[in-house]
Amino acid sequence: MEHGRAFSSTSRSLSSASLRDRLSKLTATPLRPVAALQANIEFVPSKIPRQRRLQMMVVAVWSVMIPITCFVWLMLCSIPALWPFLIAYLLWMFLIDNSPELGGRLSPWFRSLSFWKYFADYYPASLLKECDLPADRPYVFGYHPHGIIGMGAMATFATEGTGFSEAFPGIKPHLLTLVNNFHVPLYRDILMALGISSVSKRSCSNILKAGPGSAITIVVGGAAESLSARPGTADLTLRRRLGFIKVAIQHGADLVPVFSFGENDIYQQMPNEKGTTVYMLQKKFQSMFGFTLPLFHGRGLLNYNLGLMPYRRRIVSVIGRPIHVQKCEKPSLEEVMRVQKMYIEELTRIWNTYKDEFAKTRLRELSIID
């Protein structure tokens, strides 16, 4: 009996010693995934200049503006006293208001708020003007590349963050986007105050007919090009995009190529080469909804390399020389192709002129992939 008790005591002693040994090893050797995560994430230091904090907060707010406006709308819907006004707003929005097709409700005051200056300075985003554009004619700006979201286009053509009106006095720019964006209550009103309008053919025509100085900006590559947006590359979807050139000819509007260096550098995109399941699903989504969802990541609010905010990387939008076209309501395919050739040559010239200054870390040269 005493022998049994001794054996039991020894077992407990060995078990305790073994447990302590294992726990000490576990403490000394952290779990590999956790250790790797801690090693890879670069956290923001506690002391950051106030200016940079404000820039970061402005970009963060704009990045989630759709959820914010949806939340505000739902809060308003929770107040029964407001229901008659909200119903009237929805009826007006869907049945009466044609502003997205008429150039929005551009507000110079709203476009000039310091909010947008902080937005542009975050990257920082700037524009480079190659020549003056007289305000005695309409213009069609073709913006390249699309990037993941097109933050450079937003900063340059939808706000005064980069000083567009000062650089081109008398020209009223309208950045064009998908009509779906104007189906979100409250958010649509913010877009229209910035002069953002629908990218429909009717909208383009209405704006260009508004008179001298009217201008539209089309991000030509669209959703298809966003799937090719990766740092150090400039793969453009342009060869089959003839609609914006035809619109310019029909209205006698000068075509102005714009190449935005750095637009593709502000996000990292997950591998999605043609033929992969991810790429096929993205293209299927695009065919169903008119836009696609690139799988991307950027930085976070409290770290530099994990999150959905764009990286702080310089964006320079070079606004090239205008291509004058003769007005023709029914241009032939040959005429459209001739103008497209001139457009591509001018866009290529911009790339070759500034690539060594603004694209020093490029992985390959400009390429028109489709």
Side-chain angles (χ1 to χ4, degrees):
M1 189 71 177
E2 291 180 358
H3 176 74
R5 289 178 181 175
F7 180 78
S8 177
S9 176
T10 304
S11 298
R12 285 196 298 270
S13 177
L14 288 173
S15 298
S16 300
S18 176
L19 181 60
R20 283 196 300 271
D21 182 57
R22 292 183 181 183
L23 287 174
S24 64
K25 288 181 179 180
L26 185 61
T27 305
T29 308
L31 295 175
R32 290 183 180 180
V34 176
L37 186 62
Q38 291 176 341
N40 291 332
I41 295 180
E42 183 182 357
F43 289 96
V44 175
S46 58
K47 293 183 179 180
I48 294 291
R50 180 175 177 271
Q51 197 81 351
R52 290 176 66 87
R53 292 286 191 194
L54 289 172
Q55 293 165 3
M56 182 179 64
M57 291 307 300
V58 164
V59 173
V61 168
W62 180 251
S63 298
V64 294
M65 186 57 71
I66 291 180
I68 289 174
T69 52
C70 288
F71 176 78
V72 172
W73 176 258
L74 291 175
M75 290 298 98
L76 293 175
C77 289
S78 68
I79 305 174
L82 296 178
W83 289 356
F85 300 100
L86 299 180
I87 292 172
Y89 175 86
L90 290 176
L91 292 174
W92 171 73
M93 183 177 83
F94 286 108
L95 302 178
I96 301 173
D97 187 26
N98 291 323
S99 296
E101 304 286 337
L102 300 172
R105 291 187 284 271
L106 191 150
S107 169
W109 169 82
F110 190 69
R111 283 171 54 96
S112 301
L113 290 176
S114 57
F115 181 94
W116 306 116
K117 182 62 176 174
Y118 285 118
F119 178 85
D121 289 346
Y122 169 84
Y123 303 96
S126 61
L127 68 82
L128 192 158
K129 180 179 76 170
E130 286 204 314
C131 64
D132 292 330
L133 299 178
D136 59 354
R137 67 198 70 174
Y139 291 93
V140 174
F141 293 92
Y143 185 91
H144 312 269
H146 183 284
I148 296 295
I149 298 178
M151 293 296 197
M154 176 73 188
T156 300
F157 292 99
T159 78
E160 293 301 328
T162 61
F164 182 90
S165 294
E166 183 179 351
F168 302 103
I171 296 178
K172 301 180 287 294
H174 296 271
L175 181 63
L176 304 186
T177 187
L178 294 175
V179 69
N180 298 344
N181 289 308
F182 298 98
H183 295 161
V184 182
L186 304 181
Y187 180 68
R188 70 191 301 271
D189 299 291
I190 296 174
L191 296 183
M192 288 190 288
L194 294 171
I196 299 176
S197 305
S198 168
V199 76
S200 68
K201 183 178 179 180
R202 178 189 171 195
S203 174
C204 294
S205 181
N206 287 334
I207 295 171
L208 294 175
K209 286 179 180 177
S214 297
I216 59 174
T217 302
I218 300 176
V219 186
V220 178
E225 191 174 276
S226 68
L227 299 181
S228 304
R230 288 182 176 81
T233 67
D235 299 333
L236 306 185
T237 301
L238 177 58
R239 194 76 64 184
R240 301 181 186 179
R241 302 299 170 103
L242 302 176
F244 75 106
I245 295 176
K246 187 176 180 180
V247 166
I249 296 174
Q250 289 174 334
H251 295 85
D254 283 8
L255 269 169
V256 184
V258 179
F259 193 92
S260 195
F261 292 89
E263 183 68 71
N264 280 350
D265 297 337
I266 61 176
Y267 284 109
Q268 290 281 357
Q269 185 168 184
M270 294 179 63
N272 63 334
E273 288 74 16
K274 288 186 178 181
T276 61
T277 302
V278 173
Y279 183 83
M280 292 173 61
L281 290 174
Q282 288 174 325
K283 296 299 288 184
K284 182 66 175 178
F285 188 94
Q286 179 187 346
S287 65
M288 293 174 62
F289 298 100
F291 64 96
T292 189
L293 296 173
L295 301 178
F296 65 93
H297 73 87
R299 58 161 292 177
L301 284 172
L302 301 177
N303 70 82
Y304 290 123
N305 50 3
L306 183 64
L308 296 179
M309 282 186 60
Y311 293 112
R312 283 183 183 265
R313 291 173 182 169
R314 186 183 184 189
I315 300 175
V316 181
S317 298
V318 180
I319 300 178
R321 302 166 186 168
I323 299 169
H324 185 67
V325 299
Q326 294 294 328
K327 184 176 181 179
C328 178
E329 291 187 2
K330 295 182 179 180
S332 64
L333 179 60
E334 291 75 16
E335 175 64 11
V336 174
M337 296 300 293
R338 184 187 70 83
V339 175
Q340 187 200 50
K341 183 175 182 293
M342 296 169 59
Y343 182 90
I344 292 176
E345 288 174 352
E346 173 63 13
L347 192 64
T348 304
R349 182 197 65 79
I350 295 174
W351 167 263
N352 290 330
T353 302
Y354 298 99
K355 63 182 181 181
D356 291 332
E357 182 178 358
F358 301 133
K360 295 178 181 179
T361 59
R362 63 186 181 277
L363 302 178
R364 54 179 179 265
E365 296 298 312
L366 173 70
S367 174
I368 298 176
I369 59 176
D370 195 4

